[in-house]
Amino acid sequence: MALAGRFFSRDEYEELFAEKDSDRRNRAFFRLWTMKESYMKAKGMGLSLPPESFSVNKIEDFSFFSPDIVEGYGCALCYSPDEGIPEVKFISSLLA
């Protein structure tokens, strides 16, 4: 959780640690982490956009899709609503 203090905005950090249940906090951490990562990629900036410089719950020009795919794993897709909802294909194995 030390990463949260370094890479999450103050609002995100405070909201995360307001959750007292450690399992729920861990799931929230990874969901938030994947959403931040997907936003930086959608903007085409990668890590040149400091992840602590924005809060995902305050982003208005993009939307997020964060499905529960497999227990213990998370993912997030960030997209521009102006371009429509992207087609998502889940591949069960990299060797398929």
Side-chain angles (χ1 to χ4, degrees):
M1 287 294 170
L3 289 175
R6 184 171 175 198
F7 295 110
F8 288 4
S9 70
R10 178 185 290 285
D11 292 342
E12 292 166 335
Y13 182 86
E14 289 174 357
E15 186 175 341
L16 183 67
F17 282 93
E19 175 58 62
K20 299 303 178 199
D21 181 88
S22 63
D23 288 337
R24 289 176 54 127
R25 188 173 50 245
N26 285 336
R27 285 192 301 275
F29 170 85
F30 285 108
R31 182 164 299 232
L32 184 56
W33 181 268
T34 58
M35 291 172 77
K36 290 179 86 67
E37 187 177 19
S38 69
Y39 178 72
M40 293 184 297
K41 290 176 181 178
K43 294 287 284 183
M45 299 178 72
L47 288 173
S48 66
L49 175 61
E52 70 279 5
S53 70
F54 64 92
S55 296
V56 294
N57 62 352
K58 295 182 180 175
I59 294 171
E60 297 180 0
D61 55 339
F62 284 85
S63 294
F64 293 93
F65 175 58
S66 186
D68 291 323
I69 298 175
V70 177
E71 181 69 30
Y73 293 88
C75 71
L77 174 67
C78 181
Y79 62 95
S80 171
D82 296 339
E83 297 175 16
I85 299 173
E87 181 179 338
V88 178
K89 180 178 179 181
F90 295 102
I91 301 171
S92 62
S93 171
L94 293 176
L95 302 176

